[in-house]
Amino acid sequence: METVPSLETVYQAIHALYHNPDPAGKEKASSWLGELQKSVFAWRISDQLLHQKAELEACYFAAQTMRTKIQYSFHELPVESYTALRDSLLEHLSHVSEETAHVIVIQLCLALADLALQMASWESPVKDIIERLGNDAKYLPVLLEVLTVLPEEVNSRSLRLGANRRSEVLKSLSQVEPQVLQLLNTCLHTLGIDNATVQTRVFRCFGSWLSLGAVPSSEEHLNSLLNVVFHSLVNSNTPSPVHEAASDCICSALFLIEAVEKNYSLAHNLFHGVYKVVDAYHMSVAQEDIDKSMNYCRMFTELAESLLDVIIISPGQNLGDLRTLDLLLMCVGHHDYEVAEITFNFWYRLSEVLFKKNNDHLNRLFHPYIRRLIISLAQHSQMEPDHEGILEEHDDFGEFRSRVSDLIKDIVFIVGSSNCFKEMFENLKNQGSNATWNMSEASLFVMASVAKNIIPDENEVVPQVVEAIIHLPEDSHIAVRHTSTLLLGELCEWIEKHSQYLELVLNYILSCLQHKPLARMAASALQNICYSCRTKMASHFNGLLQIIQAIDSFSISNEAAVDLLKGAALILCQLPDEQVTDGLRVLCQCQLSHLSKVLQQDPQEKTTKFDPTPWLDRISAIFRHINICVKGNNTHPCLVVVKEVWPIMSQVCEYYKADIRIIERCCRCIRFLIRCVGRYFAILVEPLVTQIVRIYQEHPHSCFLYLGSILVDEYGRDPGCVQGLVDMLQAFCIPTFHLLDKQDGLRNHPDTVDDLFRLCTRFLQSMPVVFLQCPVFKSLLQLALAACNLEHKDANSSVMQFFYSLVQIGRLHEKAPDFTMRQSLVKGILKEHRQTLIFTLVQAAIFHLPSYVMPDIADVLYEMMKLDKELFLLGFEEALKQIPTQNQNGSVTVTPDQLKEFHCLVSNAEHVKTISTSLRDFSRLYK
């Protein structure tokens, strides 16, 4: 946007966005307004719109624009305009009334808070805001809103305050905290005695200041406020909004007491305060007020998590009182599983600590609590008695049960898997004829969660369970049979040790395969058994082949079919070579037959009625799970079948060349064909490369680049393939450069970046000298440098791996014949690009990339230092000189001492982790 638009034009665009019935008109207006928000004119226009107050939509757009400009584009403003902007925002807020939409108020308050945090010259923002808005009760809602969002915004990474400014702000806020708490106390005792709205706002503001992470120094005001908050939580008549705000506030306070010794007085007060609300929890259960029950549960859980270390170190003593666990188990016993689920994180943390401690005495101490937990979880896992069919995997209750299973697997070591399994089975037996189907199913579900941990030599309980399952009556509830099948699959290692049950179990699973609701689970169980019992299953392979040949008559899902084929492929690997070829051919025959039919259909219907992906997925599953070691110069037993499959794959690629979804599936199939037979696929490399290069010119699907990397990995060391693979790379580069050189090309095509540099890394690993002398190498290097700032995890990782491998080949494998040439080439490249590379990596770490990328960047820097430390340090020092030490408004981002410390840590690093940690800490000064 080159010229400032008129207000009338802006109003018309906003009106079109909200009221134009034509979608195209809305989209056009949205795009135009988006460009306006990015422009420097947005500052003045949004201010003018707010002054005019013409219509709600315009005011909201203006307020939201003002906030986002301050948040993301503060650097656009000259320093001398900060004061005018501050005064303008305060002016807008002073004109807020009860009629002003809340969303507008929120945006303006956030804008003022973000300005206060970034405007270093505004020395006392809290004091000034209170003086401006604290003298009249009508401004109280706005004042409390500003004071609420201000602490919340301190840790907003989008503001990029930097650690030094953030530390300065926190210190400033801690100094005015007594004044704020006094204000909140005054509000409560003068206006909030019977005013739920005031109480809610005050509690939210109090919680926000507690979330700063420092215990307020004004203990008198702190305790006074906490007493009022706890009083509202004890009162069963407290309105829901007040109750939720009070609960959030206590949870923020409880977070502070993880440092118990430092904050013992606060911890003691909160501990006793939380215990006083137990009766109120029981009242919420009696009144079936689920929201309040969840609020109390959050507090109990936060208390337990904050005191976890104390509970472990001094269980049963003072703040380590084990009754805190009873509070959590009380919540787990709530009739609604959503309440129970709130406690899960505590149990995970407890199990993690106990596992690391590996202390039998501690495990025995917590044994009864975990036992009660598992029993309660089993009860929560019960389906409704009138439920028909099996559970939907992705409905809310199904996902809850999945989390229950994960939790049980995590904590069961405390009570012992065998003990848990036995107790669930005893429950089943003791219930006898009184057991309902859903009670039985829930016990089986818990047993399935721990079954893989059962010692394979167990001979007391598991045989009874297996016998009971394989003799289940046909009229058993379908969910019971479904979970029983799951349990058999989880007992695969036990079955391997007790082969007398194998045939009985297989017969049971076969019967389930023929029952559509059970087929998916039966196939999964069969796959587990095939994996664990591969040797013993070899004699059953022909029977399994017969099942697979009739697979489509079972009306099972494609996922179930894939599981069956995985299992069959695993067994195939155990057969003699002469049987492998015929067995593999039978496995593939049905899939190829379907694909052939698909390829004969009208092209207009090729992506609707005749979707090839199920058959491609099945072929992938077969070849992915075949791993056969060929001895000597023998021919690979799978090669004959691979030659039969390849022409169909080639036709699919051609037929669906414009369809990325199908092409990705097809490339995956070809990948596993290659991996299956390895060097024996070399005779097919030339036609494959010719085809994928030709299609890529027309349709640059990144999966072709990935497939190219597989070829380089497999055949890059074969002299007869080197030139063809280099030609492939150069052919790939022309359309790839064209795609990525477009505006925002790197950001819009991260998959292409990922797969391209994965391919380049394979070249470095397989034929480094040839690759480094390749005509396109310099262009690839420039592209990699440009992609260093790309904030896409996989793509950035591939770029960093490329640089890492590039430097590494200059110093590893010194005895290799090509070492001298390699080292000379790498050092020559780094001599030319070292400074740019180091500067780019440091800048990317500081200004552009999230912290999880730091280890990858550190790997590259450390490898450069190991190759030539002296030259690396020269480049590193030069890069640090170019780093700004102040931001646009004059705040210090990094002090000379901090810069010196960072340089020293990196320069003297003996491990890559030191560089990674230093980068992460240093980058926080700018974020």
Side-chain angles (χ1 to χ4, degrees), residues 11 43 214 294 300 339 471 504 527 560 571 597 737 837 857:
Y11 277 121
W43 295 98
M294 293 176 78
F300 299 152
V339 178
H471 291 105
L504 293 170
Q527 181 196 341
I571 300 170
K597 291 178 182 177
F737 290 161
L837 177 56
I857 295 177

Side-chain angles (χ1 to χ4, degrees), residues 56 99 214 276 381 408 419 474 498 507 536 551 590 617 636 654 788 861:
L56 175 64
E99 288 75 34
K276 288 178 182 177
S381 298
I408 290 175
N419 291 334
E474 284 291 325
H498 297 78
N507 288 336
K536 295 182 175 67
I551 199 169
C590 180
D617 288 344
H636 198 292
E654 199 65 47
C788 283
L861 295 176

Side-chain angles (χ1 to χ4, degrees), residues 121-135:
S121 59
W122 192 1
E123 296 180 355
S124 53
V126 174
K127 181 181 176 183
D128 294 346
I129 292 169
I130 291 175
E131 287 180 355
R132 178 70 180 265
L133 301 173
N135 296 322

Side-chain angles (χ1 to χ4, degrees), residues 472-725:
L472 272 175
E474 284 291 325
D475 61 352
S476 298
H477 194 286
I478 192 70
V480 174
R481 295 184 65 193
H482 186 267
T483 304
S484 297
T485 308
L486 166 66
L487 177 51
L488 285 180
E490 295 297 292
L491 286 171
C492 55
E493 292 179 14
W494 184 90
I495 293 170
E496 197 273 334
K497 290 286 186 181
H498 297 78
S499 55
Q500 67 270 30
Y501 288 98
L502 181 56
E503 190 163 352
L504 293 170
V505 169
L506 290 176
N507 288 336
Y508 173 82
I509 291 177
L510 176 58
S511 69
C512 293
L513 274 173
Q514 299 173 59
H515 198 1
K516 188 174 181 179
L518 301 174
R520 176 72 176 93
M521 184 56 70
S524 178
L526 184 57
Q527 181 196 341
N528 286 349
I529 292 169
C530 288
Y531 180 81
S532 294
C533 311
R534 276 174 281 189
T535 304
K536 295 182 175 67
M537 280 290 292
S539 60
H540 297 276
F541 183 70
N542 288 333
L544 191 55
L545 276 184
Q546 291 175 12
I547 295 172
I548 288 171
Q549 286 175 308
I551 199 169
D552 293 314
S553 66
F554 294 153
S555 299
I556 64 175
S557 67
N558 191 56
E559 290 80 4
V562 165
D563 284 343
L564 277 176
L565 290 164
K566 287 177 184 176
L570 290 168
I571 300 170
L572 186 69
C573 299
Q574 307 302 312
L575 300 179
D577 285 1
E578 59 270 18
Q579 296 180 33
V580 169
T581 304
D582 291 338
L584 181 58
R585 181 177 284 118
V586 173
L587 287 180
C588 295
Q589 206 166 38
C590 180
Q591 332 314 325
L592 295 176
S593 173
H594 281 289
L595 281 175
S596 296
K597 291 178 182 177
V598 169
L599 293 171
Q600 294 169 14
Q601 304 304 319
D602 187 328
Q604 297 302 316
E605 301 182 75
K606 62 186 178 183
T607 58
T608 55
K609 183 178 178 181
F610 303 104
D611 186 355
T613 56
W615 323 114
L616 294 172
D617 288 344
R618 294 183 187 187
I619 294 172
S620 288
I622 294 168
F623 285 96
R624 183 175 191 174
H625 291 84
I626 294 178
N627 183 17
I628 296 174
C629 182
V630 180
K631 297 176 182 178
N633 294 320
N634 293 338
T635 302
H636 198 292
C638 297
L639 181 60
V640 174
V641 182
V642 167
K643 288 180 178 179
E644 295 170 2
V645 173
W646 159 246
I648 302 294
M649 292 298 104
S650 178
Q651 290 178 54
V652 172
C653 275
E654 199 65 47
Y655 196 72
Y656 292 99
K657 59 186 178 183
D659 192 322
I660 179 62
R661 180 180 66 94
I662 296 173
I663 287 295
E664 283 182 344
R665 295 298 226 295
C666 196
C667 284
R668 187 168 60 184
C669 280
I670 297 171
R671 167 194 170 192
F672 292 127
L673 290 176
I674 295 168
R675 292 300 197 194
C676 177
V677 296
R679 60 189 174 89
Y680 297 94
F681 193 87
I683 57 174
L684 298 173
V685 168
E686 185 177 346
L688 170 60
V689 169
T690 301
Q691 183 175 28
I692 63 176
V693 164
R694 178 173 48 77
I695 296 176
Y696 189 79
Q697 310 291 327
E698 185 180 354
H699 303 284
H701 303 309
S702 72
C703 53
F704 287 132
L705 298 175
Y706 181 80
L707 191 54
S709 72
I710 301 297
L711 292 170
V712 174
D713 189 45
E714 287 286 345
Y715 312 112
R717 294 170 182 84
D718 182 342
C721 295
V722 168
Q723 189 56 51
L725 292 172

Side-chain angles (χ1 to χ4, degrees), residues 756-817:
L756 174 65
F757 287 104
R758 191 189 301 267
L759 171 63
C760 291
T761 300
R762 291 282 169 80
F763 269 103
L764 284 169
Q765 294 165 346
S766 300
M767 50 179 102
V769 172
V770 173
F771 177 60
L772 295 177
Q773 294 176 324
C774 183
V776 295
F777 175 77
K778 287 189 176 180
S779 298
L780 287 167
L781 185 65
Q782 292 298 329
L783 186 62
L785 287 167
C788 283
N789 296 336
L790 191 58
E791 198 172 335
H792 183 280
K793 188 174 183 179
D794 293 336
N796 194 279
S797 178
S798 289
V799 171
M800 295 304 157
Q801 184 61 42
F802 166 73
F803 282 122
Y804 175 77
S805 298
L806 171 63
V807 181
Q808 191 181 55
I809 61 171
R811 68 176 194 85
L812 293 186
H813 309 299
E814 296 181 12
K815 295 182 180 180

